[in-house]
Amino acid sequence: EPEVTQTPSHQVTQMGQEVILRCVPISNHLYFYWYRQILGQKVEFLVSFYNNEISEKSEIFDDQFSVERPDGSNFTLKIRSTKLEDSAMYFCASSDQEVKLFFGSGTQLSVL
Amino acid sequence: AQSVTQPDIHITVSEGASLELRCNYSYGATPYLFWYVQSPGQGLQLLLKYFSGDTLVQGIKGFEAEFKRSQSSFNLRKPSVHWSDAAEYFCAVEGAGGTSYGKLTFGQGTILTVHP
């Protein structure tokens, strides 16, 4: 079965630093997403991306966050100045038009 | 706003026993409903989904779920649990139609432990 690939699996950074989380969605998918799960809390939607622009974003997705599809295969989430509360598992997902999201295995971000 | 409640944080069953994981949702219309499973170190894998039609849906790995509109529930069931089913299970809802395509609201998750 095709997979969504996320790198790195674990990222440690200092507060205030910029981080980029990387994802390779499934090749023929058109819709891309980022979700996150803070330890002990629910998985929550961050942003959806289609046709090279943000379709929808949550209240969490403020100006510190940005997404990009720099080429035909990668999809990235950038956090410009990380805060302690950004520590979470970040999941990338992609889908075709069938509303069946395929999730990656996640990147555990630890902000110290 | 839509919401999902999974009342059981942790369930333990014996291998071979039947399983039912509960999920209740809150949404103004008929939602799209999903169950995902996450094994340690793995991503969220879709078990099954309900969009419309038959309210009993079959999924992968022998799982099924039943949509009950009157109870706002979408419980996940399996007649005989295998040790490999030990994982965390998430119920999720998406508002059908509109602009919230792929914007899922997840429940808290239920951790399933299987005893031999």
Side-chain angles (χ1 to χ4, degrees), chain A residues 83-96:
Chain A
K83 306 181 185 68
L84 295 176
E85 54 265 36
D86 294 327
S87 295
M89 178 73 85
Y90 288 80
F91 293 104
C92 173
S94 68
S95 70
D96 56 17

Side-chain angles (χ1 to χ4, degrees), chain A residues 1 31 33 35 37 40-45 48 56 91 95-106, chain B residues 4-5 32 34 36 38 41-46 49 51 90 94 99-104 106-108:
Chain A
E1 186 170 82
Y31 301 85
Y33 314 87
Y35 284 77
Q37 184 180 28
Q41 299 186 22
K42 296 182 179 184
V43 177
E44 52 190 352
F45 169 83
S48 59
E56 188 164 1
F91 293 104
S95 70
D96 56 17
Q97 294 185 4
E98 291 187 350
V99 198
K100 178 180 176 181
L101 271 64
F102 287 79
F103 283 84
S105 57
Chain B
V4 178
T5 302
Y32 294 158
F34 307 82
Y36 281 85
Q38 184 182 27
Q42 304 295 313
L44 296 162
Q45 182 183 24
L46 181 66
K49 62 184 186 292
F51 288 172
F90 295 91
E94 181 197 288
T99 59
S100 298
Y101 189 85
K103 181 182 177 181
L104 303 180
F106 282 86
Q108 186 77 21

